[in-house]
């Protein structure tokens, strides 16, 4: 009876917390997708559709596009074949996500080099906001963010190929009054030019790159099973909702509390069953 009372109290507190969080979240913006009729002039990036497109290109070959490097010399993506290639999409007018992601990527890759060695893979950042992400703008962006990684190129595509290029990598973006909303991903391409994995999130760590790069470099058996980090990054994307007040996406904390509540409930049930099993064994 004591256990039942405790369980009922726990459920009551959990439901109360979830409702309070949902109410607070509703005060800012609903956790469902923004109604286009409510804000007809604000483009909304569909997070679920963006994630689906991103994952749909895994195991697909990338196109052989020609872009310009920081010295305005043409570079074919096919030139990078023979080694794994990491590709990120940025826009140079970004003052938050793109610089942060780029610097975090460099830190992660410096640690990765210490594990698998230098010159084992290449890195490319592509400016998708054309014609503004010109070779000179990409050069300034790399310099401002202190990128000195030896095998890292910053490339500018012609405006006419941006849509086809981004779709080839499963990259989605939407212009907004504040710049662009876009999926935050780094695409890992194998030595034959086929997309091997999408890595999500602004906070990038060496552990997200060492294992897959090591598999590609050594030819080890490939596993496409998502890591725990991939799953949590996907949840972060799907828990984001558009907030017209800030002109961008933010986390819906009502959804977060629901997820945490479910995890807590599952752990409690496991603990309760384990305790009852031990009690019955002790009584027998």
């Amino acid at each position: 009876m004591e256990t039942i009372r405790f369980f009922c109290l726990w459920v009551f507190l959990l439901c109360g917390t979830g409702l309070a969080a949902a109410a607070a979240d509703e005060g800012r913006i609903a956790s469902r997708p923004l109604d286009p009729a409510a804000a007809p002039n604000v483009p909304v990036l569909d997070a679920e559709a963006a994630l689906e497109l991103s994952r749909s290109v895994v195991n697909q070959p990338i196109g052989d596009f020609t872009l310009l490097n920081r010295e305005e010399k043409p570079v074919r993506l096919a030139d990078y074949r023979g080694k794994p290639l990491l590709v990120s999409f940025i826009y140079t007018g970004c003052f938050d996500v793109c610089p942060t992601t780029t610097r975090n990527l460099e830190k992660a890759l410096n640690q990765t080099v210490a594990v698998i060695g230098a010159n084992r893979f290449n890195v490319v950042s592509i400016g998708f906001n054309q014609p503004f992400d010109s070779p000179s703008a990409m050069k300034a962006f790399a310099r401002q963010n202190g990128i000195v990684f030896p095998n890292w190129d910053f490339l500018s595509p012609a405006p006419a190929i941006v849509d086809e290029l981004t779709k080839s990598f499963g990259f989605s973006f939407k212009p907004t009054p504040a710049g662009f909303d876009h999926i935050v991903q780094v695409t890992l391409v194998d030595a034959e030019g086929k997309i091997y994995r999408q890595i999500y999130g602004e906070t990038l760590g060496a552990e997200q790159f060492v294992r897959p790069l090591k598999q590609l470099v050594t030819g080890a058996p490939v596993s496409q099973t998502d890591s725990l980090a991939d799953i949590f990054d996907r949840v972060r994307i799907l828990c984001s909702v558009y907030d017209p007040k800030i002109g961008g996406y933010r986390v819906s904390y009502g959804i977060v509390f629901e997820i945490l509540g479910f995890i807590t409930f599952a752990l409690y049930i496991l603990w309760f069953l384990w305790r009852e099993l031990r009690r019955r064994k002790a009584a027998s």
Side-chain angles (χ1 to χ4, degrees), residues 35-229:
D35 182 3
N41 297 321
V42 178
V44 177
L45 181 66
D46 187 328
E48 292 189 39
L51 186 61
E52 182 179 353
L53 174 63
S54 173
R55 297 183 62 78
S56 71
V57 299
V58 174
N59 295 322
Q60 299 300 314
I62 61 174
D64 184 14
F65 300 94
T66 299
L67 303 89
L68 297 178
N69 65 13
R70 284 171 282 183
E71 309 306 323
E72 301 189 17
K73 295 180 180 179
V75 175
R76 294 174 55 198
L77 291 184
D79 295 340
Y80 295 100
R81 292 184 183 176
K83 295 180 182 179
L85 175 67
L86 292 164
V87 180
S88 68
F89 283 89
I90 64 168
Y91 70 100
T92 58
C94 178
F95 297 101
D96 184 14
V97 175
C98 294
T100 300
T101 304
T102 301
R103 289 192 294 267
N104 287 340
L105 178 58
E106 186 193 32
K107 292 177 184 177
L109 295 182
N110 283 331
Q111 297 173 27
T112 303
V113 165
V115 176
I116 69 174
N119 300 318
R120 306 299 294 272
F121 60 92
N122 293 306
V123 190
V124 162
S125 288
I126 299 176
F128 64 86
N129 184 23
Q130 296 302 329
F132 303 103
D133 292 338
S134 63
S136 60
M138 296 294 284
K139 187 174 185 178
F141 181 90
R143 183 176 62 251
Q144 290 166 2
N145 289 282
I147 306 301
V148 294
F149 199 82
N151 301 324
W152 194 331
D153 289 332
F154 286 77
L155 305 180
S156 301
I161 70 169
V162 168
D163 287 344
E164 185 181 0
L165 173 66
T166 53
K167 287 178 182 177
S168 180
F169 284 90
F171 177 79
S172 300
F173 64 97
K174 285 280 187 182
T176 73
F180 288 91
D181 287 324
H182 59 87
I183 190 168
V184 182
Q185 70 179 36
V186 176
T187 302
L188 175 55
V189 182
D190 67 19
E192 282 69 49
K194 185 183 294 184
I195 293 178
Y196 169 71
R197 182 179 289 274
Q198 302 282 25
I199 301 168
Y200 303 107
E202 298 174 37
T203 305
L204 300 168
E207 68 280 358
Q208 294 172 276
F209 299 97
V210 170
R211 185 174 63 86
L213 280 170
K214 201 170 183 179
Q215 288 174 333
L216 292 178
V217 168
T218 62
V222 172
S223 171
Q224 291 296 342
T225 304
D226 284 342
S227 67
L228 190 60

